[in-house]
């Protein structure tokens, strides 16, 4: 093909233009790493991600075209642009699978080993690509499957081939989000989480002097806050007003109903101690009540919502399995010769899947044995099939991967419980199985979406499958390190805890000695033996501790993910990651295998989910809102509200101009969506960069102006309002 020759769209099977070439593949890998890193950040913060395929496709078209002009080389083909988006979309799918499951290991008291995280990511992604292969033909041929993101992405690539796509909006959003986040969370020029608390404190003048006392206010224990970050605003814009409103509704139930209600009834008896809390409700603050009671209610609601959303798809599950099993014999005749039907052979699929299962059964990182690995393979095949089908019906963003993971974990734990496999190593094995299945299902759905895009433009399935595996493997390496970086940078070694100076339990073996890491290591270079307590013992709360040479507990090691200590001992604030779905996985695993779950609270959450479904409200986003801090769901709702009004304004202007109503493609690739994608990536990358700076305290303090420049709660809403105004002006176009 000459440099100026235009390709027909879709590219016919008898043409074989450049497709899987080094430049586009490298660009796709880089974009996959960037969007994968931002997705792992979002997964830890709010337990969800958004599809990256359309922003990656827009970036591919613009960057490759700019490079061809600068270097005087031929223009990239539409199939090369598709290679970029195929490799780039792999990172986001792996990030969700890893972020939902791997932090649960640490919540249960295990260290997150980088080798285990990477193997789960790489082997799960390979299984996802391979196990979807038998379903490719029947699903691509099924006219009832719309594949919304895949179809929209194909249209973006077609428009780009005609010269109509630009990445300027994405880049603008990226740099706005980056600098906004650095100014807020790095320089602390304004508060990250403006908060209102009912009551607060008041000063009473007495003869002995002024006395500060707590004032309960009209709603004791009630509070409202908002994390005014660009990435959460962008997420809200993309998911829309309905999902954002449902999530905020969950937050309202949690912070303005459940917590005040528990505080009100619990304060009636000052000494009342209600399991699983370790101190009376009357003396508990808002965070204490949330951690002791509301999180279990939210976990029950999330589990029920995920299972209900999957159960609703049972007909799809059955039809997908039937279609997948019937196609295991492979294609016939000329179908294998035509370029647009060439795919990984069934021999490669079966041998590759068997190789992954064997590697899992032999690896020391996976204490599951061959039977556990085989169980993992069966669950992976089931849910990769389901995920691909659901992606075709409702799209990647609405695919209930977490529900499939919960179902996998429940079934695995029940099987382990029946076999009396309830030791610590079996908890590790159950979570490992769930992790691989979650990554496989997530990658399987993304593979289906990318293959549909390829089918609409005339790409080669086998090259796309190879691209997906390469992109997934590269992203897995970076995502594993990013996960550990975020956790380590926000880990606090504190001397201010209730177990300080207490002798470690004599019957609990201590782990090997390890030094402090991070800022605290500058003042204490000694090494200490590790004490891991999955459950409270002898009045010592569960957690990880460092024990000195006399056998006394010195430091509490509070992790960055799901940790509770939000300030270092020198009062430096630390960002914590709630990892809502990882916490749910840990709760299910530990609760079933130890049979010590506060079932009353969990069942209350289940009933909340059932009530919502009976009212025709999707329970899963509401349950996530119950589980998350209201400060996380509030900006998501604001983003959805911005989109609602921007879309209405844009439609009104189109009607005034005599134009037809906006199509789904135009809506999903509009300036507001592209700007929001940039805000997500820029804000998340800035957050990761600031996590790196936390490991270099001198640099961090040099850019921190918080003590002199903080605006307060109301003043902090001014820069957030300006960010919203900019998004509105752009989105109305």
């Amino acid at each position: 093909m000459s440099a100026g020759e235009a390709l027909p769209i879709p590219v016919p099977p008898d043409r074989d233009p450049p497709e899987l070439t080094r430049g586009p593949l490298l660009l796709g890998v880089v974009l996959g790493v960037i969007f994968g890193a931002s997705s792992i950040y979002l997964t830890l913060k709010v337990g969800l991600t958004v599809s990256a395929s359309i922003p990656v496709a827009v970036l591919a078209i613009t960057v490759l075209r700019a490079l061809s002009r600068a270097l005087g080389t031929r223009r990239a083909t539409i199939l090369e642009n598709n290679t970029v988006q195929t490799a780039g979309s792999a990172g986001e799918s792996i990030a969700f699978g890893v972020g939902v499951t791997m932090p649960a290991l640490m919540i249960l008291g295990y260290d997150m080993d980088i080798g285990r995280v990477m193997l789960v990511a790489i082997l799960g992604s390979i299984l996802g690509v391979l196990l979807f292969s038998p379903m490719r033909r029947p699903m691509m041929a099924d006219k009832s499957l719309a594949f919304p993101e895949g179809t929209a992405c194909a249209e973006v690539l077609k428009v780009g081939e005609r010269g109509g796509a630009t990445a300027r909006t994405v880049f603008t959003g990226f740099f706005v989000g980056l600098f906004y986040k650095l100014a807020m969370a790095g320089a602390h020029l304004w508060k990250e989480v403006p908060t209102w608390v009912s009551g607060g404190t008041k000063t009473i003048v007495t003869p002995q002097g002024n006395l500060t006392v707590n004032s309960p206010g009209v709603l004791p224990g009630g509070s409202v806050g908002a994390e005014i970050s660009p990435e959460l605003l962008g997420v809200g814009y993309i998911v829309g007003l309905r999902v954002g409103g449902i999530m905020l509704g969950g937050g309202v139930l949690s912070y303005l109903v459940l917590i005040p209600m528990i505080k009100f009834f619990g304060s009636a008896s000052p000494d009342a101690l209600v399991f699983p809390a370790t101190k009376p409700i009357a003396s508990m603050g808002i965070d204490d009540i949330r951690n002791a009671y509301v999180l279990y209610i939210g976990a029950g609601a999330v589990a029920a919502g995920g299972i209900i959303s999957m159960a609703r798809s049972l007909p799809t599950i059955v039809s997908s399995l039937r279609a997948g099993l019937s196609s295991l014999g492979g294609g016939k005749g000329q179908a294998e010769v035509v370029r647009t039907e060439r795919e990984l052979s069934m021999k490669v699929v079966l041998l590759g899947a068997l190789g992954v299962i064997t590697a899992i059964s032999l690896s020391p990182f996976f204490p599951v044995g061959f039977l556990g690995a085989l169980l993992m393979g069966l669950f992976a095949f089931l849910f990769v099939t389901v995920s691909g089908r659901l992606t075709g019906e409702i799209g990647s963003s609405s695919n209930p991967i977490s529900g499939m993971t919960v179902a996998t974990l429940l079934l695995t734990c029940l099987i382990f419980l029946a076999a009396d496999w309830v030791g610590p190593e079996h908890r590790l094995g159950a979570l490992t199985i769930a992790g691989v299945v979650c990554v496989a299902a997530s990658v399987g759905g993304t593979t289906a979406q990318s293959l549909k895009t390829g089918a609409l433009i005339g790409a080669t399935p086998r090259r796309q499958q190879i691209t997906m595996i390469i992109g997934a493997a590269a992203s897995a390496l970076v995502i594993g390190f990013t996960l550990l970086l975020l956790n380590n940078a926000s880990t606090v070694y504190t001397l201010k805890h209730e177990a300080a100076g207490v002798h470690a339990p004599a019957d609990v073996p201590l782990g090997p000695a390890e030094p402090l890491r991070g800022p605290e290591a500058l003042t204490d270079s000694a090494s200490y033996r590790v004490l891991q307590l999955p459950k409270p013992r002898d009045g010592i709360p569960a957690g990880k501790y460092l024990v000195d040479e006399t056998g006394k507990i010195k430091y509490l090691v509070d992790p960055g993910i799901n940790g509770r200590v939000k300030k270092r001992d020198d009062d430096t604030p630390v960002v914590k990651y709630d990892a809502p779905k990882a916490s749910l996985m840990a709760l299910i695993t530990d609760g079933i295998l130890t049979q010590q779950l506060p079932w009353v609270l969990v069942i209350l959450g289940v009933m909340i989910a059932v009530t919502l479904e009976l009212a025709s409200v999707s329970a899963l986003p509401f349950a996530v809102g119950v589980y998350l801090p209201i400060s996380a769901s509030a900006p998501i709702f604001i983003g959805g509200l911005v989109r609602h009004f921007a879309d209405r304004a844009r439609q009104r202007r189109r009607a005034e101009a005599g134009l037809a109503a906006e199509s789904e493609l135009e809506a999903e690739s509009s300036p507001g969506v592209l700007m929001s994608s940039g805000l997500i990536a820029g804000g998340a990358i800035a957050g990761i960069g600031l996590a790196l700076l936390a490991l270099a305290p001198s640099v961090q303090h040099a850019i921190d102006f918080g003590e002199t420049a903080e605006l307060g709660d109301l003043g902090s809403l001014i820069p957030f309002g300006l960010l919203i105004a900019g998004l509105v002006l752009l989105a109305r176009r």
Side-chain angles (χ1 to χ4, degrees):
M1 187 187 76
S2 64
E5 184 180 353
L7 282 170
I9 304 173
V11 180
D14 59 346
R15 301 285 295 272
D16 193 11
E19 185 173 1
L20 183 53
T21 52
R22 283 177 296 180
L25 180 61
L26 179 61
L27 177 61
V29 166
V30 171
L31 292 177
V33 166
I34 293 173
F35 280 92
S38 64
S39 293
I40 195 72
Y41 184 85
L42 276 183
T43 303
L44 295 178
K45 291 283 283 185
V46 292
L48 52 82
T49 60
V50 292
S51 177
S53 57
I54 291 177
V56 171
V58 171
L59 290 169
I61 294 165
T62 307
V63 172
L64 290 180
R65 184 171 297 162
L67 287 174
S68 68
R69 289 172 179 167
L71 301 176
T73 56
R74 66 168 179 81
R75 180 176 161 182
T77 68
I78 188 173
L79 300 188
E80 287 177 310
N81 288 331
N82 184 55
T83 292
V84 178
Q85 81 82 20
T86 300
S89 61
E92 174 256 328
S93 59
I94 291 178
F96 182 80
V98 169
V100 161
T101 55
M102 287 297 95
L105 295 172
M106 189 180 51
I107 296 169
L108 289 179
Y110 303 100
D111 287 328
M112 262 196 314
D113 190 283
I114 186 64
R116 179 178 288 108
V117 174
M118 286 186 179
L119 278 177
V120 166
I122 293 172
L123 296 179
S125 60
I126 293 173
L127 269 183
V129 175
L130 292 178
L131 295 180
F132 182 76
S133 186
M135 273 71 74
R136 186 194 67 82
R137 283 185 187 152
M139 287 195 191
M140 295 302 109
D142 191 338
K143 300 300 182 184
S144 67
L145 299 180
F147 288 98
E149 285 103 338
T151 303
C153 192
E155 293 301 318
V156 168
L157 290 171
K158 292 176 183 178
V159 170
E161 189 71 3
R162 305 184 190 105
T166 176
R168 183 182 303 166
T169 307
V170 182
F171 282 122
T172 299
F174 179 86
F175 287 110
V176 168
L178 182 77
F179 290 116
Y180 179 100
K181 183 81 172 185
L182 290 175
M184 178 182 70
H188 291 110
L189 297 180
W190 58 89
K191 293 187 70 171
E192 296 180 62
V193 187
T195 304
W196 168 84
V197 178
S198 177
T201 60
K202 63 181 180 179
T203 302
I204 300 176
V205 179
T206 68
Q208 292 77 27
N210 293 339
L211 178 64
T212 300
V213 298
N214 290 324
S215 174
V218 294
L219 193 63
S223 66
V224 176
E227 184 179 338
I228 51 175
S229 64
E231 63 271 22
L232 295 185
L233 179 68
V235 167
Y237 189 95
I238 291 176
V239 302
L241 179 60
R242 177 166 176 77
V243 173
I246 292 173
M247 286 187 68
L248 181 61
V252 169
L253 177 67
S254 177
Y255 278 77
L256 296 176
V257 179
L258 293 178
I259 293 176
M261 187 170 62
I262 293 170
K263 185 72 174 177
F264 175 75
F265 288 115
S267 297
S269 178
D271 298 325
L273 183 62
V274 182
F275 178 80
T278 58
K279 60 182 179 180
I281 295 174
S283 62
M284 295 170 69
I286 293 173
D287 288 342
D288 295 327
I289 295 175
R290 174 176 177 263
N291 295 334
Y293 302 111
V294 176
L295 287 186
Y296 289 101
I297 297 173
V302 171
I307 292 173
I308 290 170
S309 67
M310 195 184 70
R312 199 184 287 121
S313 306
L314 276 177
T316 298
I317 294 172
V318 175
S319 62
S320 299
L321 285 175
R322 187 182 298 121
L325 292 171
S326 66
S327 66
L328 284 175
K332 298 180 180 179
Q334 292 298 317
E336 290 294 328
V337 177
V338 176
R339 179 186 61 80
T340 52
E341 289 296 328
R342 293 175 192 159
E343 60 183 351
L344 295 176
S345 69
M346 192 54 57
K347 183 183 297 185
V348 170
V349 170
L350 293 176
L351 289 177
L354 183 61
V356 170
I357 290 172
T358 303
I360 288 171
S361 65
L362 297 177
S363 172
F365 290 114
F366 298 89
V368 295
F370 184 75
L371 289 178
L374 189 61
L375 181 68
M376 184 187 301
L378 292 175
F379 281 138
F381 176 70
L382 167 66
F383 290 124
V384 165
T385 303
V386 173
S387 179
R389 186 86 183 184
L390 287 176
T391 298
E393 287 191 345
I394 58 178
S396 296
S397 299
S398 303
N399 195 357
I401 300 295
S402 55
M404 301 177 204
T405 310
V406 168
T408 299
L409 197 54
L410 282 171
L411 290 171
T412 303
C413 289
L414 290 173
I415 291 171
F416 281 16
L417 186 63
D420 200 29
W421 297 347
V422 294
E425 70 278 7
H426 298 115
R427 282 180 280 176
L428 182 60
L431 277 171
T432 302
I433 290 174
V436 172
V437 171
C438 186
V439 173
S442 185
V443 171
T446 302
T447 300
Q449 201 76 266
S450 293
L451 287 173
K452 183 62 177 181
T453 300
L456 293 174
I457 63 172
T460 311
R462 183 168 62 192
R463 292 171 182 164
Q464 281 194 276
Q465 290 164 333
I466 293 171
T467 300
M468 197 75 185
I469 291 174
I470 294 173
S475 296
L477 297 175
V478 177
I479 286 170
F481 281 111
T482 304
L483 181 64
L484 292 174
L485 166 67
L486 292 173
N487 177 66
N488 293 340
S490 294
T491 295
V492 174
Y493 295 82
T494 178
L495 297 167
K496 300 175 181 179
H497 60 96
E498 56 189 285
V502 177
H503 276 280
D507 57 340
V508 178
L510 299 179
E514 67 175 45
L516 279 67
R517 298 181 178 89
E520 289 89 353
L522 299 177
T523 57
D524 188 347
S525 59
S527 294
Y528 299 88
R529 299 288 297 276
V530 175
L531 170 66
Q532 294 274 17
L533 290 180
K535 294 292 180 184
R537 281 290 308 273
D538 304 334
I540 304 172
K544 179 180 178 180
Y545 298 92
L546 298 185
V547 179
D548 62 22
E549 65 278 0
T550 66
K552 292 182 179 180
I553 295 174
K554 186 168 185 179
Y555 289 99
L556 166 66
V557 184
D558 189 72
I561 298 174
N562 209 52
R564 299 287 180 255
V565 181
K566 298 182 179 180
K567 287 186 177 182
R568 302 190 189 276
D569 286 356
D570 63 357
D571 286 335
T572 302
V574 177
V575 176
K576 294 291 184 179
Y577 305 96
D578 285 282
K581 292 181 179 175
S583 302
L584 170 64
M585 305 305 165
L587 186 149
I588 290 172
T589 305
D590 193 54
I592 292 178
L593 295 184
T594 63
Q595 302 181 56
Q596 294 181 350
L597 201 61
W599 284 106
V600 172
L601 297 174
V602 173
I603 292 172
L604 284 173
V606 171
M607 290 301 103
I608 289 173
V610 171
T611 302
L612 289 166
E613 291 290 342
L614 290 174
S616 300
V617 176
S618 179
L620 191 56
F622 187 92
V624 171
V626 173
Y627 197 93
L628 286 173
I630 194 172
S631 59
S633 52
I636 293 176
F637 170 73
I638 293 171
L641 202 62
V642 170
R643 179 166 190 173
H644 173 72
F645 286 113
D647 285 353
R648 287 183 59 181
R650 198 165 60 250
Q651 294 285 26
R652 186 169 58 250
R653 294 172 70 181
R654 289 175 69 96
E656 292 171 354
L659 300 174
E662 193 173 53
S663 68
E664 184 178 348
L665 165 65
E666 290 171 321
E668 293 306 316
S669 57
S670 65
V673 171
L674 296 178
M675 174 79 169
S676 296
S677 298
L679 289 175
I680 292 169
I685 294 301
I688 295 170
L690 291 171
L692 270 174
L693 283 183
L695 301 176
S698 58
V699 179
Q700 186 183 41
H701 289 309
I703 66 169
D704 191 345
F705 300 99
E707 291 186 2
T708 56
E710 192 174 283
L711 296 177
D713 289 305
L714 289 177
S716 297
L717 297 177
I718 296 173
F720 190 57
L722 294 175
L723 181 65
I724 292 172
L727 180 59
V728 169
L729 290 175
L730 188 73
R732 285 164 55 92
R733 294 194 322 199

